[in-house]
Amino acid sequence: MPMRTRAAALAALTVAALAAGTALTAPAGAAPKKTAPAFLAASELPPHPSSDWTAGPVTDGFPVELAHCLGEGVPAYDYRHRLFRTDLDTGAVQVTVVTGSAAKGRALAALLNREIRSCADRIEQSDPEIEAEGRFYGSLPVEEGAQVHGLHTAASWGATDVHLLSVGRDGGTVTVVGWGQMGDFDDAPVAAFKKTTTKAVNKLY
């Protein structure tokens, strides 16, 4: 990502997300709350052992950095996102969306969690040279709840990457947080990422 997966490993999925970009960012007619949801600050991400995080601006649209799991089939809403990076091969992203009602927010969060859970299978189906494994790290008791997932990919030529992804909801507002770097599940800061997810959902409003 940021979410710096090896570009070669997931290039096909990123291209698919770019092709679907118009649908992903098209307005859905939802009535946003008067105050826009707040985003994470760089200091609220899992600490990096040797590099500080830098936060980019909040930008309209759905981030292609989440293309490896959410590149297709995401309902059209007015998404906003922020990218984060370190000086090394670690990156992160947060995307938020105001759906207009608690029912729509619940449905979107459920869909995003399903897409993430099926992500590993879809990656392997799209590229026989990549092995992928997904893990579920549990639910968090914040606002209307959040779920935390892990994903590891290993390519036949040796590239290996690990990601953490979470989906949280506050009423009709949904946020997705993603973190990624080279490595495997042992390299993933799951406990710190859960704290980041809790902060992300609490900061929405």
Side-chain angles (χ1 to χ4, degrees):
M1 295 190 175
M3 264 271 141
R4 292 191 187 175
T5 55
R6 299 292 179 82
L10 300 176
L13 291 168
T14 300
V15 169
L18 287 169
T22 301
L24 291 172
T25 59
K33 293 184 179 181
K34 293 182 179 180
T35 303
F39 279 76
L40 289 165
S43 62
E44 295 171 312
L45 292 171
H48 192 280
S50 59
S51 179
D52 292 332
W53 285 99
T54 300
V58 175
T59 305
D60 291 338
F62 193 91
V64 297
E65 285 77 12
L66 292 176
H68 59 292
C69 281
L70 302 173
E72 297 179 344
V74 178
Y77 283 107
D78 288 326
Y79 297 93
R80 303 173 77 223
H81 69 276
R82 168 176 274 179
L83 303 180
F84 304 85
R85 65 177 181 83
T86 68
D87 291 336
L88 301 175
D89 197 13
T90 305
V93 60
Q94 181 185 9
V95 58
T96 67
V97 56
V98 180
T99 66
S101 73
K104 290 180 179 179
R106 186 183 306 111
L108 178 60
L111 172 62
L112 294 172
N113 279 307
R114 288 196 301 270
E115 289 293 302
I116 293 172
R117 286 195 297 270
S118 66
C119 183
D121 289 340
R122 287 183 284 114
I123 287 174
E124 290 188 338
Q125 291 169 6
S126 69
D127 191 336
E129 295 193 25
I130 298 176
E131 293 184 359
E133 178 186 354
R135 291 187 180 179
F136 179 59
Y137 288 113
S139 300
L140 302 176
V142 54
E143 298 298 343
E144 275 69 58
Q147 294 188 19
V148 180
H149 311 264
L151 173 70
H152 176 251
T153 58
S156 60
W157 55 89
T160 179
D161 298 278
V162 63
H163 300 274
L164 296 174
L165 300 118
S166 61
V167 179
R169 183 172 69 90
D170 181 355
T173 301
V174 178
T175 190
V176 179
V177 181
W179 170 99
Q181 69 174 29
M182 293 187 296
D184 56 31
F185 286 122
D186 291 338
D187 302 306
V190 176
F193 184 77
K194 287 183 175 182
K195 292 180 180 178
T196 294
T197 295
T198 298
K199 290 177 181 178
V201 178
N202 276 327
K203 286 187 72 172
L204 291 173
Y205 293 104

